[in-house]
Amino acid sequence: MRIVESIARMQQLTRSLPRPVVLVPTMGALHEGHLALVDHAKKLVGRKGSTVVTIFVNPPQFGPREDYRKYPRPFKRDCLLLQNRGCDLVFAPTAANMYKPDASVTVMESQLQTVMCGASRPGHFVGVCTVVTKLFHLVQPDIAIFGEKDFQQLTILRRMVRDLNFPVRIVARPIVREPDGLALSSRNVFLSAEERQQAPLIHQALRDAENKLRLQSVSLRALENLIRRRIERASRAKVDYVAVVDPDTLQAKEPRNLPVLLAAAVFFGSTRLIDNVLVK
Ligand code: PAF
């Protein structure tokens, strides 16, 4: 497995990588959720192609009071895990090389980012779209794989690829969960023992809402309240948002017509967790 830090070297290698090239963009601190994306990438490249994983904690997608500095960076461990999964190339540039001090060009999606995480984290998705654009230019993948846990990110990136005509196919993969239902996240390591014990309530609340929805007609507001009240039973939980939306437009939607996305963002202390259930 090659590990490349230099942007110039990556650009040089890109020209000769065996195709198809399948990219899994990450911020490192890899868990089984990321590794499941890598396994899927391996499947898609077959015997001939190349699996590329990027590890880059991207400063612009963190707000000023968010966890950029303390975001876990177990780089050596990540590389070992990727090597064991058969990844071909890791691209891990430095922030100083990715962004010149006077960088002034960004990529902004302007509709889907106004709600949910985009509303709570102003500028976050401009940071995401800009870095993913840069990674697409640098790696020139045929396919890029993203997890469904960041459902809004996935929807926005699909829109970006469509609207800016990137020659990249976006593939989505399902959320990987702990046995108690908690969605895997690099941020789970920040949870105290008590918070960790309570955190699966997010998934339980979304599942309960899904079950209710399947059994009886229930309004958007009633469903949102149900999810919120259920999560707030956890003494350490502070709900950031609960959303019942159309999975394509991310606009609030009466859940009579499926599909509908049930999503929530919840603070446990300073750790912000997100989760969702797509009801088809
Ligand atoms: O989902 C993530 O880990 C990040 O938002 C991404 C897509 C790697 C961009 O920094």
Side-chain angles (χ1 to χ4, degrees), residues 25-27 34 56 58 61 124 128 131-132 146 150 153 157:
T26 81
M27 298 204 301
H34 297 111
F56 180 60
N58 177 40
Q61 71 184 76
H124 170 69
V128 171
V131 80
V132 172
F146 295 89
D150 293 290
Q153 167 172 284
L157 291 174

Side-chain angles (χ1 to χ4, degrees), residues 16-121:
S16 56
L17 283 178
R19 300 219 160 243
V21 172
V22 181
L23 170 66
V24 180
T26 81
M27 298 204 301
L30 303 178
H31 49 66
E32 278 301 317
H34 297 111
L35 297 174
L37 304 183
V38 177
D39 290 345
H40 194 69
K42 292 287 301 172
K43 228 185 253 173
L44 295 178
V45 300
R47 259 179 294 165
K48 285 200 305 228
S50 315
T51 302
V52 178
V53 174
T54 59
I55 297 182
F56 180 60
V57 187
N58 177 40
Q61 71 184 76
F62 289 79
R65 275 180 294 276
E66 292 184 355
D67 52 0
Y68 174 68
R69 272 175 205 288
K70 71 167 188 175
Y71 199 84
R73 292 165 170 84
F75 185 66
K76 281 203 179 118
R77 180 180 168 274
D78 286 347
C79 287
L80 275 175
L81 289 169
L82 291 173
Q83 187 157 28
N84 288 341
R85 291 311 242 256
C87 169
D88 298 302
L89 192 155
V90 174
F91 176 48
T94 63
N97 285 344
M98 280 293 265
Y99 296 104
K100 298 282 172 263
D102 60 347
S104 56
V105 178
T106 56
V107 179
M108 185 172 86
E109 185 289 326
S110 57
Q111 275 173 23
L112 302 164
Q113 70 141 359
T114 59
V115 296
M116 297 164 63
C117 292
S120 310
R121 304 180 69 188

Side-chain angles (χ1 to χ4, degrees), residues 3 17 23 51 70 93 96 101 103 130 166 176 182 200 205 235-236 242:
I3 301 175
L17 283 178
L23 170 66
T51 302
K70 71 167 188 175
T130 304
F166 281 92
V176 179
L182 176 64
S235 59
R236 309 282 303 169
V242 168

Side-chain angles (χ1 to χ4, degrees), residues 259-275:
V260 79
L261 181 78
L262 312 177
V266 181
F267 282 99
F268 282 88
S270 58
T271 309
R272 185 174 177 279
L273 302 181
I274 54 173
D275 201 350

